[in-house]
Structures are given as structure tokens and as C-alpha cells.
DNA sequence: AATGAATGAGGATTCATTCAT
DNA sequence: TATGAATGAATCCTCATTCAT
């Protein structure tokens, strides 16, 4: 379930001179495996992913894969982790740039951030929107949604946009609905059906505004 | 594994009236295979389903399974078909019994019908809410949602509840969101988190009322 | 191995009036099955032939196939029989029309007769030249060659073209070589490489003329 | 399923000398699989060959077979390759030992070399003469004949035995005829009908001498 | 005679994972 | 640490043939 132990250079011991230090080489291997996995997933879908193919595509022996990942699911999980981090970063950055924060802008900004990432990374669309058929991906997406919901809820409540009775469940529901909106919008359309996304933003916003404070409706300056 | 006993008609005895005609026996076989498949899906999940197990659980040779179904996916599809029909029937019946038809009652009645079926058939929950990991189930659920959306939209527009500009896409979005609500509500809870369902009804209703006629808001008698 | 027993109408019993008498219907069924088999063999090759496909292509139930043929090989054999008969007829007719009979004209006329049949029936090329991969076809072709060799040898000896010491083995060898020539000539070329056939005629003639009488070399009028 | 015990080298003990290096073990495995395949082919014929049986006969898991060969056909092909190489070697050696080279001695030596190999390796007879029913074997035999024809033709022309107008097609025809001769000679006779082979030598020689130079007829010393 | 249905017995191939080196 | 090789355990599916009716 977890990646293999991180190899640490014993303190006080200088590693033998080499161009690429051991730890760095490891990191590169991991990255190349993840890249290969991502590539394959986009090409053939998550279901057809095999350890052999991942290794081969990364130019590594199959056995090496198990040096860095516990098992096949571990690869998917690491890949998801890496990608989710990128998504979270985008959301955080975009939210930080918002001047007038309200429930409406919170929803719009967040969902727009996702759109931005999906545009930049077609692999994400394939894996996280179309690849839900895979159990591991499904679970990870679900977990990420839970974390995202908590994050955004706390933000909204702390910023005085939402009443404290906005339960985690409600936040989760909102995020999940947004997630399903994306799944639909990108189902057939590589670029995503933006009108559908817009509808989704409307729906989620309207729903969440039921839990908004007056400030959440009008917005607060940052 | 063993050869079935040969039933011999005692000489001088006219063969006993055939209890079960050929066609009926066939139908039973199909049903028993579908039942077995459903049982296994509930027990182990869709991913772990194998043709061998289905056949064995139904007490039939694997080859017989292929007499009735094109392949493993065919079994899942037939199962889905059978189940979806039951759902559609429940929805149709419940809608027929509604006295005051409005967007709100339409949404509530429909979603309540699903809840009723889920309560009656735990297998459905396993297969259609938790088993989305399977590609076939996923696709089938998606297609059913599309059909359901069209049906309900036409009903709403024809009954004067919704304006004609309620697009199929919007109806689809609403159904999909309702679907996701159920997925969440039944994720951990065998009986379904009814509060969550209630939230879902609220959200979908609020969303769809944006496309309602005045009559759609107040309701029309049947 | 043999086709099912021929149904005979009991003598003295007039069959009930019907448009198509029973026996005729049977014959038609057999023919349609053979035609279907021939068609499939040409389309997909002998290896991919299945009883199911034959029956389906003939619009008959699989079980019916077993009413007329002992087994799958029986179908192939009956097909071969039918075809070989056509070939033998062509050879016999063409030989009957030859005015100056010699070893050379015997060889040439026979091989030309085969070419004529191959031109008329592309299915033969597929089955008997390219389909030798199938054991049944292989065996049948072999047996037919043996019979043909015997026939031609007897003809040659009786007509005074060949010395009696022309053994059956030698005749067989000659026929088999001719057969291989055809296999080569039609390997890639639908129409057959006629230059190759010509070489074959040359080789076989030269070989057999070693066993010819003086008359066999110069020819005898019919 | 269970974690394997970590093999630890007892401290102070150098690991026992590896008897068989890895690469060598691999080679042996491949050989044993090929041997098993050859054995089975001889016993039951090419048609009845299954991957399961090959593996079992070689004492290897089926999956291992797929480590070395792409598929079942791959096994047959490898076997053919190995055997054809042996045949080519025998022919080359025997030809190298001929003192007076002529078309006649070329044909005789080559065919005698085949006879020698067939005597030494009964499996070859089964596989390459009787096993032509298999598509893979058939194709491989055909290809080998083409190569052999080219080789011998070039040799004959280069040595001044044959006129340059001896086309590759003619050479091929000669080789194919020789091949058919062997098929006939070994059809029922384990040891091969040598009289038939002799006839074949005669026929092929007579045919090829039509393309011979004077030297090709009388022979040239080596 | 005709046939829908049933099935025993494989068959080729895949794959994640683990070792021995 | 790295990896070539090994493999247990399944998986889906096919097919010729035979019954029961």
C-alpha cells in the first residue's frame, strides 16, 4: 500500500563520488515509472494496465517496480498522490488570488482550477474522470474529495462565508456533485463541455448558499 | 462433475406429463444464472466475478452459461437489464400514484422509488451503487440514467411542469447528481443515509425549479 | 466416417403427397450443408471450420448436420467426394477427346483438366491446394491421388503406352509430383502460375517416358 | 501469497559455488521444452500438441513456456529452426566431401543427406514429413525449401554445373519435388522406402540436367 | 426425422508477484 | 540495490457431439 522505504544515506558517511547520487537516481526511477503508468493509462485505460507494461514502458525491469512500490495498486496510488497534489496546489493558488470571497466565488474558483488542470493534463481526465472504473482510482478519488470537502468547508466557515451548521457531509456532497459534473462534462469531450460545467457551478452554488451567512452571499474582501 | 442419472421410463408406461416445458426450463436456467451472479456480486463485488463461479453457483456447466449469454459482460448486462426494468416499474407506479404533480414531487417520488427498490433489493445497492468499478456496470448505469432523464424530462414538459428550454443535458445532469447522491448515501450504510438523500432531493429540486413553470412550482392535480 | 444411412421409401408404400418428396428434401439439405462448408472454407480456410458455422451458414440446426454426416470430418469427406468426382469426370472427358494418345498427351491432358477445374472452382484451389493443412483434406487428397494413379497407369498400360513394369508406385509418384506442382503454382497466384505448371508437365512427362513403350513415345490414334 | 523467507548467507560462509550459471540453465530449459515438444509430436502427432502437455512433459510450468516462446506456434517454430539447422549442416558437410561435383551428385548427395538425418532423427520424419498437417510446420517447411533451393541453385551456377537460366522457380520446384518424394517414401515406412527415394533422385536429376552445362553432366573435380 | 438445448473436456494465454543471484 | 527468470493460479471461452423431446 505504501511506497518502499526511502533509502537514506547514513549520516556522517559521504557517499562515493558519482554523477547522480543514489537518492536522486531512485527518485528518477520512480518518476519514470509513474510517467510510464500515466502514459499507458491514457493510451489504453486504467483497466488494461499491467505491471509488465509499466516497467517496459519505463525501460525498467519488472522486479524494479517492486523496489519502489509495494504492488500495482501502489503505483496507481503514488500516481494519484502526485496528481492530486498538483490539483490541490492549483486550487490553493487560485483561491489565494481571489479578491472578493463568497460562496459563489469559492465554488467557481475551485471548479475553474480543476478545469485549468484538466486542460493542462489530459492524463488526469483519462485517469480521474474516465478511469473511475478502476477500484484504486475510484477509492483515491473518493478520498481526495473527502479531504477537499473538509478543506473548503473549513475555509468557508473560518472566513465567515458559511454557517457552522454546514456539515462535513453537506460539503462532501457538494464536492462529489461537482466531481460528477466533471465526469459528465469530460465524458465524450476532450476539452470538456463548459456549458455543463457552468450548470454544475450554478447548482452547487445554489445548494451551498442555503448554508451561507449574509457575508457568504455578498462576499468579503481579502 | 458426475454424469447425471439417466431417467428411464419404465416399459409399458407412458412417459409422465412433462412438468416443465422446454422454454420454461430455459427461462429458469437464465434466471438461476442471473441470481447466482447477483449473489456473487453482493458477496465479493463485481470485480471478483468469474464465469466459473457464476456457473458453479448456479449449478450449471460453464458452457451452458455461454448458451444464454454472449460472454461474461453479457451476464452483467442481462442482470442490469432485469434490475433496471424493476426500477423503472417502481418509478412508473409510484409516479402514477402521485396526486399533486410538481417538480418537487416528481423529484421526491422518483428518488423515493429508488430508495424503495434499494431497500427491497440489497443486491442492487451492491451492484449499481458500489459496483460502479466495473466497466460494464458503469456503462449500463450511465445509459439507464440517460434514458431515465429523457423520460422524466418529457413527462415534466408534457405535464407543463417544466419549460421546454429544460434541455436533455440539464435533465441528465439532475439524474446523474441524484445517482451520485445515492452512491454516497449507500457507501457505508446498508440502509442508506436518508439525511443525505434528503439533501440530494433538496439540491436537485432547487436546481430543477430554475426551469420550472409556475405550475411546476405549485403543482398540478392528476 | 460415412454419411448417415440413406433414407429409402418402403416399396409398395406411396408417400403422402407433398411438393418436395422426402428424399429430395434430404438431398437438398446435404447439398446446402456442403455448399456452406465449401463457402466457409474458401472464406476462412479449412482450419477455422466449425460445425456450428457450417450449420448456421446453411440455415440448419447443428444437430441436423449429424443427421446427414457422422461427424465434422464426414462433412469434409463428402465435400471432397463431390469435388473429386467432378475432377475425375473432367479428366475422363478430356482424355476421351484426345486423338493422339501418348505418355506426353496423357500427362498434359490430365494436368490441363485439373487446371480447367481449378479455374472453374476457386473453392477447390482453396480446399485441395491450400487447405492441405487439414488432416482430413490431406488424407483425402492422398487417397484420390492413389486412385488416380492407378486409373491412369492402367489406362497407359492397357493402351500400350507404358510397359507393364511401370509400377503403381511410380505412377503414384508421378501423380503426387503433379499434385505438388499444382500446390506451388497456385500458392500465391489465384489463377495459377502456368509457367510452373508447364515445367511440371515437362518433368513428369520426362520421368514417365522412361517407362514408355515406343508407342507411348510417338502416340497412338484413338 | 506468503512472504518468502529472506535468504541470509551465514556470516563467515562463502556461498556454495554455483554449478550451473543462469544463462546455461535457461538454455537447458529451452532445450528440454523443445525436446518434450519433439517427443510429443512423435508420439501423438503435431495436431494433438498442447502447451499444457509440452510443459508437463518438460517438467516445467506452463507459464515458463511463455517465458521462452511467444506462443505455441513459437515452440514449433523454434523446434523447426533447430532441426532445419541440423539438416542444413548435414547437407553442407556432405556436399563438402563430394569429390566429383555434378548435377547428379549434387542431387544425390543432398537427398542422401536428408535420408541420413531422417535415419538419425525419427522425430524429424514425424514432424516434417508426416506433420505437414500443421500450418506452422507447413509454412516453415515451405520456407526452408525456398532457402535450400536458392542455396543449391547458387552453388550449381557458381560451380558451373548449371546454366544461369536455371531460374529460382525451377530450383524451387526441384526441391519441392524432392520434398514430396520424401513424404511419400516415409509415409508408411519408418525407414523410408529407399526405392522410391531412388526414383525421386532419378526424376529430379533428369529434370535438372535439362538446365545443366556440359560440366554439370560430366562433373567437375573439387 | 428434426432440433433446441446441454455439456464435458479441454485450450491458449495472462499476470502479479517472488526469488536467487 | 538490482534484476532475469520463474511460476501458481486463474481466466475467458470454444467446440464437437449428444440428448430429450
Amino acid at each position: 500500500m505504501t511506497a518502499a522505504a526511502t533509502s537514506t544515506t547514513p549520516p556522517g558517511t559521504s557517499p562515493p563520488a558519482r554523477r547522480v547520487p543514489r537518492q536522486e537516481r531512485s527518485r528518477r526511477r520512480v518518476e519514470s515509472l509513474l510517467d510510464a503508468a500515466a502514459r499507458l493509462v491514457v493510451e489504453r485505460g486504467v483497466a488494461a494496465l499491467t505491471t509488465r507494461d509499466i516497467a517496459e514502458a519505463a525501460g525498467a525491469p519488472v522486479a524494479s517496480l517492486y523496489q519502489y512500490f509495494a504492488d500495482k495498486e501502489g503505483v496507481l496510488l503514488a500516481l494519484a498522490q502526485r496528481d492530486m497534489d498538483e490539483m490541490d496546489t492549483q486550487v490553493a493558488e487560485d483561491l489565494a488570488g481571489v479578491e472578493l470571497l463568497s460562496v459563489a466565488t469559492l465554488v467557481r474558483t475551485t471548479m475553474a482550477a480543476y478545469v485549468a488542470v484538466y486542460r493542462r493534463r489530459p492524463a488526469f481526465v483519462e485517469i480521474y474522470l474516465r478511469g473511475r472504473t478502476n477500484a484504486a482510482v475510484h477509492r483515491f478519488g473518493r478520498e481526495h474529495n473527502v479531504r477537499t470537502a473538509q478543506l473548503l468547508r473549513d475555509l468557508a466557515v473560518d472566513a465567515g462565508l458559511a454557517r457552522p451548521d454546514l456539515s462535513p457531509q453537506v460539503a462532501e456532497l457538494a464536492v462529489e456533485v461537482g466531481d460528477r459534473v466533471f465526469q459528465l462534462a469530460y465524458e465524450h469531450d476532450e476539452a470538456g463541455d463548459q456549458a455543463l460545467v457552468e450548470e454544475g457551478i450554478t447548482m452547487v452554488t445554489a445548494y451551498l448558499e442555503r448554508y451561507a451567512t449574509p457575508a457568504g452571499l455578498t462576499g468579503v474582501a481579502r
Side-chain angles (χ1 to χ4, degrees), chain A residues 103-138:
Chain A
V103 166
T105 59
L106 188 67
V107 171
R108 176 170 300 278
T109 304
T110 302
M111 291 185 71
Y114 276 83
V115 169
V117 176
Y118 289 142
R119 177 156 35 217
R120 194 166 63 231
R121 300 254 195 231
F124 287 20
V125 172
E126 193 58 39
I127 301 175
Y128 303 108
L129 297 184
R130 296 182 184 156
R132 288 293 173 84
T133 275
N134 177 273
V137 170
H138 191 269

mmCIF file of all heavy atoms in Angstrom, chain A residues 103-138:
data_model
loop_
_atom_site.group_PDB
_atom_site.id
_atom_site.type_symbol
_atom_site.label_atom_id
_atom_site.label_comp_id
_atom_site.label_asym_id
_atom_site.label_seq_id
_atom_site.Cartn_x
_atom_site.Cartn_y
_atom_site.Cartn_z
ATOM 1 N N VAL A 103 -19.400 32.454 -1.258
ATOM 2 C CA VAL A 103 -19.694 31.061 -1.585
ATOM 3 C C VAL A 103 -19.615 30.879 -3.098
ATOM 4 O O VAL A 103 -19.012 29.928 -3.620
ATOM 5 C CB VAL A 103 -21.094 30.672 -1.063
ATOM 6 C CG1 VAL A 103 -21.545 29.345 -1.697
ATOM 7 C CG2 VAL A 103 -21.066 30.555 0.453
ATOM 8 N N ALA A 104 -20.197 31.836 -3.800
ATOM 9 C CA ALA A 104 -20.217 31.730 -5.258
ATOM 10 C C ALA A 104 -18.800 31.737 -5.843
ATOM 11 O O ALA A 104 -18.467 30.906 -6.694
ATOM 12 C CB ALA A 104 -21.034 32.876 -5.854
ATOM 13 N N THR A 105 -17.963 32.647 -5.408
ATOM 14 C CA THR A 105 -16.610 32.708 -5.983
ATOM 15 C C THR A 105 -15.779 31.522 -5.523
ATOM 16 O O THR A 105 -14.909 31.049 -6.251
ATOM 17 C CB THR A 105 -15.895 34.025 -5.609
ATOM 18 O OG1 THR A 105 -15.820 34.122 -4.176
ATOM 19 C CG2 THR A 105 -16.639 35.228 -6.174
ATOM 20 N N LEU A 106 -16.057 31.049 -4.335
ATOM 21 C CA LEU A 106 -15.335 29.872 -3.840
ATOM 22 C C LEU A 106 -15.612 28.675 -4.754
ATOM 23 O O LEU A 106 -14.686 27.983 -5.222
ATOM 24 C CB LEU A 106 -15.787 29.552 -2.409
ATOM 25 C CG LEU A 106 -14.985 28.467 -1.688
ATOM 26 C CD1 LEU A 106 -13.571 28.944 -1.422
ATOM 27 C CD2 LEU A 106 -15.658 28.081 -0.366
ATOM 28 N N VAL A 107 -16.869 28.443 -5.022
ATOM 29 C CA VAL A 107 -17.240 27.328 -5.885
ATOM 30 C C VAL A 107 -16.664 27.519 -7.280
ATOM 31 O O VAL A 107 -16.019 26.637 -7.845
ATOM 32 C CB VAL A 107 -18.782 27.186 -5.971
ATOM 33 C CG1 VAL A 107 -19.165 26.168 -7.033
ATOM 34 C CG2 VAL A 107 -19.345 26.805 -4.611
ATOM 35 N N ARG A 108 -16.888 28.716 -7.824
ATOM 36 C CA ARG A 108 -16.437 28.968 -9.188
ATOM 37 C C ARG A 108 -14.917 28.853 -9.311
ATOM 38 O O ARG A 108 -14.400 28.242 -10.246
ATOM 39 C CB ARG A 108 -16.911 30.350 -9.649
ATOM 40 C CG ARG A 108 -16.401 30.740 -11.050
ATOM 41 C CD ARG A 108 -17.079 31.984 -11.575
ATOM 42 N NE ARG A 108 -18.522 31.833 -11.688
ATOM 43 C CZ ARG A 108 -19.139 31.244 -12.714
ATOM 44 N NH1 ARG A 108 -18.408 30.752 -13.706
ATOM 45 N NH2 ARG A 108 -20.445 31.130 -12.730
ATOM 46 N N THR A 109 -14.221 29.436 -8.387
ATOM 47 C CA THR A 109 -12.766 29.417 -8.461
ATOM 48 C C THR A 109 -12.224 27.986 -8.356
ATOM 49 O O THR A 109 -11.335 27.583 -9.107
ATOM 50 C CB THR A 109 -12.160 30.275 -7.331
ATOM 51 O OG1 THR A 109 -12.702 31.586 -7.412
ATOM 52 C CG2 THR A 109 -10.649 30.325 -7.443
ATOM 53 N N THR A 110 -12.801 27.256 -7.435
ATOM 54 C CA THR A 110 -12.344 25.876 -7.258
ATOM 55 C C THR A 110 -12.575 25.051 -8.520
ATOM 56 O O THR A 110 -11.676 24.383 -9.025
ATOM 57 C CB THR A 110 -13.089 25.227 -6.078
ATOM 58 O OG1 THR A 110 -12.850 25.996 -4.898
ATOM 59 C CG2 THR A 110 -12.598 23.800 -5.875
ATOM 60 N N MET A 111 -13.771 25.143 -9.017
ATOM 61 C CA MET A 111 -14.079 24.326 -10.187
ATOM 62 C C MET A 111 -13.274 24.808 -11.402
ATOM 63 O O MET A 111 -12.850 23.999 -12.240
ATOM 64 C CB MET A 111 -15.579 24.299 -10.465
ATOM 65 C CG MET A 111 -16.313 23.513 -9.367
ATOM 66 S SD MET A 111 -18.093 23.260 -9.630
ATOM 67 C CE MET A 111 -18.120 22.076 -10.964
ATOM 68 N N ALA A 112 -13.058 26.095 -11.486
ATOM 69 C CA ALA A 112 -12.248 26.612 -12.594
ATOM 70 C C ALA A 112 -10.815 26.112 -12.478
ATOM 71 O O ALA A 112 -10.152 25.844 -13.496
ATOM 72 C CB ALA A 112 -12.283 28.142 -12.597
ATOM 73 N N ALA A 113 -10.342 25.996 -11.259
ATOM 74 C CA ALA A 113 -8.984 25.479 -11.059
ATOM 75 C C ALA A 113 -8.879 24.046 -11.591
ATOM 76 O O ALA A 113 -7.895 23.682 -12.254
ATOM 77 C CB ALA A 113 -8.618 25.520 -9.577
ATOM 78 N N TYR A 114 -9.893 23.284 -11.323
ATOM 79 C CA TYR A 114 -9.900 21.912 -11.853
ATOM 80 C C TYR A 114 -9.890 21.913 -13.376
ATOM 81 O O TYR A 114 -9.147 21.153 -14.022
ATOM 82 C CB TYR A 114 -11.125 21.147 -11.338
ATOM 83 C CG TYR A 114 -10.896 20.542 -9.979
ATOM 84 C CD1 TYR A 114 -11.056 21.296 -8.822
ATOM 85 C CD2 TYR A 114 -10.503 19.216 -9.847
ATOM 86 C CE1 TYR A 114 -10.841 20.743 -7.566
ATOM 87 C CE2 TYR A 114 -10.269 18.649 -8.602
ATOM 88 C CZ TYR A 114 -10.446 19.427 -7.467
ATOM 89 O OH TYR A 114 -10.210 18.881 -6.236
ATOM 90 N N VAL A 115 -10.720 22.783 -13.941
ATOM 91 C CA VAL A 115 -10.755 22.874 -15.400
ATOM 92 C C VAL A 115 -9.360 23.203 -15.945
ATOM 93 O O VAL A 115 -8.916 22.630 -16.940
ATOM 94 C CB VAL A 115 -11.782 23.930 -15.857
ATOM 95 C CG1 VAL A 115 -11.628 24.211 -17.347
ATOM 96 C CG2 VAL A 115 -13.200 23.459 -15.547
ATOM 97 N N ALA A 116 -8.704 24.104 -15.257
ATOM 98 C CA ALA A 116 -7.362 24.500 -15.700
ATOM 99 C C ALA A 116 -6.412 23.310 -15.687
ATOM 100 O O ALA A 116 -5.643 23.093 -16.636
ATOM 101 C CB ALA A 116 -6.827 25.619 -14.793
ATOM 102 N N VAL A 117 -6.470 22.543 -14.631
ATOM 103 C CA VAL A 117 -5.583 21.378 -14.547
ATOM 104 C C VAL A 117 -5.942 20.343 -15.606
ATOM 105 O O VAL A 117 -5.071 19.769 -16.245
ATOM 106 C CB VAL A 117 -5.631 20.750 -13.142
ATOM 107 C CG1 VAL A 117 -4.776 19.489 -13.100
ATOM 108 C CG2 VAL A 117 -5.145 21.747 -12.098
ATOM 109 N N TYR A 118 -7.207 20.128 -15.796
ATOM 110 C CA TYR A 118 -7.631 19.133 -16.789
ATOM 111 C C TYR A 118 -7.161 19.557 -18.186
ATOM 112 O O TYR A 118 -6.831 18.717 -19.019
ATOM 113 C CB TYR A 118 -9.156 18.965 -16.787
ATOM 114 C CG TYR A 118 -9.684 18.258 -15.556
ATOM 115 C CD1 TYR A 118 -10.883 18.636 -14.964
ATOM 116 C CD2 TYR A 118 -8.979 17.197 -14.996
ATOM 117 C CE1 TYR A 118 -11.364 17.986 -13.846
ATOM 118 C CE2 TYR A 118 -9.456 16.546 -13.867
ATOM 119 C CZ TYR A 118 -10.644 16.944 -13.293
ATOM 120 O OH TYR A 118 -11.117 16.295 -12.182
ATOM 121 N N ARG A 119 -7.159 20.868 -18.403
ATOM 122 C CA ARG A 119 -6.704 21.347 -19.705
ATOM 123 C C ARG A 119 -5.212 21.089 -19.848
ATOM 124 O O ARG A 119 -4.724 20.683 -20.888
ATOM 125 C CB ARG A 119 -7.001 22.842 -19.836
ATOM 126 C CG ARG A 119 -6.500 23.435 -21.146
ATOM 127 C CD ARG A 119 -7.278 24.678 -21.514
ATOM 128 N NE ARG A 119 -7.661 25.432 -20.324
ATOM 129 C CZ ARG A 119 -8.799 26.081 -20.163
ATOM 130 N NH1 ARG A 119 -9.691 26.065 -21.129
ATOM 131 N NH2 ARG A 119 -9.061 26.747 -19.054
ATOM 132 N N ARG A 120 -4.503 21.338 -18.773
ATOM 133 C CA ARG A 120 -3.048 21.196 -18.819
ATOM 134 C C ARG A 120 -2.636 19.724 -18.873
ATOM 135 O O ARG A 120 -1.630 19.372 -19.459
ATOM 136 C CB ARG A 120 -2.459 21.861 -17.567
ATOM 137 C CG ARG A 120 -0.974 22.090 -17.624
ATOM 138 C CD ARG A 120 -0.541 23.039 -16.518
ATOM 139 N NE ARG A 120 -0.779 22.533 -15.178
ATOM 140 C CZ ARG A 120 -1.412 23.210 -14.219
ATOM 141 N NH1 ARG A 120 -1.885 24.424 -14.465
ATOM 142 N NH2 ARG A 120 -1.573 22.688 -13.029
ATOM 143 N N ARG A 121 -3.399 18.873 -18.255
ATOM 144 C CA ARG A 121 -3.016 17.459 -18.128
ATOM 145 C C ARG A 121 -4.124 16.533 -18.621
ATOM 146 O O ARG A 121 -4.971 16.091 -17.825
ATOM 147 C CB ARG A 121 -2.743 17.122 -16.661
ATOM 148 C CG ARG A 121 -1.642 17.933 -16.031
ATOM 149 C CD ARG A 121 -0.413 17.090 -15.873
ATOM 150 N NE ARG A 121 0.540 17.697 -14.961
ATOM 151 C CZ ARG A 121 1.813 17.870 -15.266
ATOM 152 N NH1 ARG A 121 2.273 17.478 -16.453
ATOM 153 N NH2 ARG A 121 2.625 18.416 -14.400
ATOM 154 N N PRO A 122 -4.079 16.216 -19.864
ATOM 155 C CA PRO A 122 -5.128 15.324 -20.396
ATOM 156 C C PRO A 122 -5.126 13.971 -19.690
ATOM 157 O O PRO A 122 -6.169 13.317 -19.605
ATOM 158 C CB PRO A 122 -4.728 15.146 -21.864
ATOM 159 C CG PRO A 122 -3.781 16.253 -22.159
ATOM 160 C CD PRO A 122 -3.116 16.612 -20.872
ATOM 161 N N ALA A 123 -3.979 13.589 -19.167
ATOM 162 C CA ALA A 123 -3.910 12.299 -18.478
ATOM 163 C C ALA A 123 -4.852 12.270 -17.280
ATOM 164 O O ALA A 123 -5.450 11.243 -16.964
ATOM 165 C CB ALA A 123 -2.486 12.018 -18.020
ATOM 166 N N PHE A 124 -4.980 13.422 -16.628
ATOM 167 C CA PHE A 124 -5.865 13.465 -15.462
ATOM 168 C C PHE A 124 -7.294 13.147 -15.863
ATOM 169 O O PHE A 124 -8.008 12.441 -15.146
ATOM 170 C CB PHE A 124 -5.837 14.860 -14.824
ATOM 171 C CG PHE A 124 -4.565 15.140 -14.083
ATOM 172 C CD1 PHE A 124 -3.414 14.407 -14.341
ATOM 173 C CD2 PHE A 124 -4.509 16.142 -13.125
ATOM 174 C CE1 PHE A 124 -2.239 14.670 -13.660
ATOM 175 C CE2 PHE A 124 -3.344 16.398 -12.437
ATOM 176 C CZ PHE A 124 -2.214 15.670 -12.710
ATOM 177 N N VAL A 125 -7.693 13.707 -16.976
ATOM 178 C CA VAL A 125 -9.055 13.455 -17.449
ATOM 179 C C VAL A 125 -9.249 11.955 -17.634
ATOM 180 O O VAL A 125 -10.241 11.378 -17.182
ATOM 181 C CB VAL A 125 -9.309 14.186 -18.784
ATOM 182 C CG1 VAL A 125 -10.646 13.763 -19.374
ATOM 183 C CG2 VAL A 125 -9.258 15.694 -18.574
ATOM 184 N N GLU A 126 -8.277 11.360 -18.279
ATOM 185 C CA GLU A 126 -8.378 9.936 -18.554
ATOM 186 C C GLU A 126 -8.423 9.129 -17.259
ATOM 187 O O GLU A 126 -9.246 8.237 -17.077
ATOM 188 C CB GLU A 126 -7.188 9.501 -19.410
ATOM 189 C CG GLU A 126 -7.315 8.144 -20.019
ATOM 190 C CD GLU A 126 -8.549 8.025 -20.894
ATOM 191 O OE1 GLU A 126 -8.894 8.995 -21.622
ATOM 192 O OE2 GLU A 126 -9.183 6.973 -20.842
ATOM 193 N N ILE A 127 -7.528 9.454 -16.382
ATOM 194 C CA ILE A 127 -7.408 8.659 -15.162
ATOM 195 C C ILE A 127 -8.515 8.950 -14.162
ATOM 196 O O ILE A 127 -9.194 8.042 -13.680
ATOM 197 C CB ILE A 127 -6.040 8.900 -14.492
ATOM 198 C CG1 ILE A 127 -4.921 8.528 -15.447
ATOM 199 C CG2 ILE A 127 -5.938 8.100 -13.200
ATOM 200 C CD1 ILE A 127 -3.533 8.847 -14.917
ATOM 201 N N TYR A 128 -8.710 10.229 -13.867
ATOM 202 C CA TYR A 128 -9.587 10.525 -12.730
ATOM 203 C C TYR A 128 -11.035 10.761 -13.105
ATOM 204 O O TYR A 128 -11.915 10.705 -12.264
ATOM 205 C CB TYR A 128 -9.018 11.686 -11.930
ATOM 206 C CG TYR A 128 -7.628 11.351 -11.486
ATOM 207 C CD1 TYR A 128 -6.526 11.968 -12.056
ATOM 208 C CD2 TYR A 128 -7.418 10.322 -10.580
ATOM 209 C CE1 TYR A 128 -5.243 11.595 -11.700
ATOM 210 C CE2 TYR A 128 -6.147 9.932 -10.229
ATOM 211 C CZ TYR A 128 -5.065 10.576 -10.796
ATOM 212 O OH TYR A 128 -3.815 10.177 -10.460
ATOM 213 N N LEU A 129 -11.271 11.033 -14.385
ATOM 214 C CA LEU A 129 -12.670 11.214 -14.777
ATOM 215 C C LEU A 129 -13.187 10.000 -15.528
ATOM 216 O O LEU A 129 -14.287 9.532 -15.287
ATOM 217 C CB LEU A 129 -12.811 12.484 -15.628
ATOM 218 C CG LEU A 129 -12.450 13.785 -14.882
ATOM 219 C CD1 LEU A 129 -12.711 14.995 -15.753
ATOM 220 C CD2 LEU A 129 -13.240 13.899 -13.578
ATOM 221 N N ARG A 130 -12.356 9.496 -16.411
ATOM 222 C CA ARG A 130 -12.826 8.352 -17.206
ATOM 223 C C ARG A 130 -12.376 7.014 -16.627
ATOM 224 O O ARG A 130 -12.905 5.976 -16.977
ATOM 225 C CB ARG A 130 -12.291 8.472 -18.637
ATOM 226 C CG ARG A 130 -12.848 9.693 -19.345
ATOM 227 C CD ARG A 130 -12.365 9.771 -20.762
ATOM 228 N NE ARG A 130 -12.830 10.987 -21.388
ATOM 229 C CZ ARG A 130 -12.253 11.584 -22.423
ATOM 230 N NH1 ARG A 130 -11.158 11.067 -22.940
ATOM 231 N NH2 ARG A 130 -12.751 12.684 -22.930
ATOM 232 N N GLY A 131 -11.380 7.075 -15.769
ATOM 233 C CA GLY A 131 -10.806 5.812 -15.285
ATOM 234 C C GLY A 131 -11.381 5.334 -13.973
ATOM 235 O O GLY A 131 -10.836 4.457 -13.320
ATOM 236 N N ARG A 132 -12.506 5.895 -13.595
ATOM 237 C CA ARG A 132 -13.096 5.536 -12.315
ATOM 238 C C ARG A 132 -13.471 4.051 -12.214
ATOM 239 O O ARG A 132 -13.832 3.559 -11.162
ATOM 240 C CB ARG A 132 -14.354 6.366 -12.055
ATOM 241 C CG ARG A 132 -14.083 7.800 -11.744
ATOM 242 C CD ARG A 132 -13.361 7.997 -10.430
ATOM 243 N NE ARG A 132 -12.974 9.387 -10.267
ATOM 244 C CZ ARG A 132 -13.787 10.327 -9.797
ATOM 245 N NH1 ARG A 132 -14.990 10.016 -9.400
ATOM 246 N NH2 ARG A 132 -13.377 11.571 -9.712
ATOM 247 N N THR A 133 -13.435 3.436 -13.348
ATOM 248 C CA THR A 133 -13.734 2.011 -13.378
ATOM 249 C C THR A 133 -12.752 1.220 -12.522
ATOM 250 O O THR A 133 -13.062 0.162 -12.004
ATOM 251 C CB THR A 133 -13.681 1.529 -14.849
ATOM 252 O OG1 THR A 133 -14.943 1.777 -15.429
ATOM 253 C CG2 THR A 133 -13.341 0.065 -14.933
ATOM 254 N N ASN A 134 -11.564 1.756 -12.378
ATOM 255 C CA ASN A 134 -10.572 1.082 -11.549
ATOM 256 C C ASN A 134 -10.819 1.347 -10.067
ATOM 257 O O ASN A 134 -11.037 2.483 -9.639
ATOM 258 C CB ASN A 134 -9.177 1.570 -11.939
ATOM 259 C CG ASN A 134 -8.131 0.954 -11.042
ATOM 260 O OD1 ASN A 134 -7.836 1.491 -9.978
ATOM 261 N ND2 ASN A 134 -7.598 -0.173 -11.460
ATOM 262 N N ALA A 135 -10.770 0.251 -9.321
ATOM 263 C CA ALA A 135 -11.106 0.350 -7.903
ATOM 264 C C ALA A 135 -10.181 1.296 -7.150
ATOM 265 O O ALA A 135 -10.624 2.120 -6.350
ATOM 266 C CB ALA A 135 -11.070 -1.033 -7.273
ATOM 267 N N ALA A 136 -8.900 1.177 -7.442
ATOM 268 C CA ALA A 136 -7.930 2.002 -6.728
ATOM 269 C C ALA A 136 -8.167 3.485 -7.018
ATOM 270 O O ALA A 136 -8.193 4.324 -6.110
ATOM 271 C CB ALA A 136 -6.514 1.610 -7.127
ATOM 272 N N VAL A 137 -8.346 3.781 -8.278
ATOM 273 C CA VAL A 137 -8.570 5.168 -8.666
ATOM 274 C C VAL A 137 -9.849 5.687 -8.024
ATOM 275 O O VAL A 137 -9.894 6.800 -7.500
ATOM 276 C CB VAL A 137 -8.673 5.275 -10.206
ATOM 277 C CG1 VAL A 137 -9.144 6.657 -10.599
ATOM 278 C CG2 VAL A 137 -7.343 4.946 -10.847
ATOM 279 N N HIS A 138 -10.850 4.843 -8.070
ATOM 280 C CA HIS A 138 -12.131 5.219 -7.506
ATOM 281 C C HIS A 138 -11.970 5.602 -6.045
ATOM 282 O O HIS A 138 -12.397 6.674 -5.605
ATOM 283 C CB HIS A 138 -13.093 4.026 -7.628
ATOM 284 C CG HIS A 138 -14.505 4.368 -7.325
ATOM 285 N ND1 HIS A 138 -15.042 4.271 -6.075
ATOM 286 C CD2 HIS A 138 -15.495 4.829 -8.119
ATOM 287 C CE1 HIS A 138 -16.311 4.637 -6.111
ATOM 288 N NE2 HIS A 138 -16.619 4.981 -7.339
#
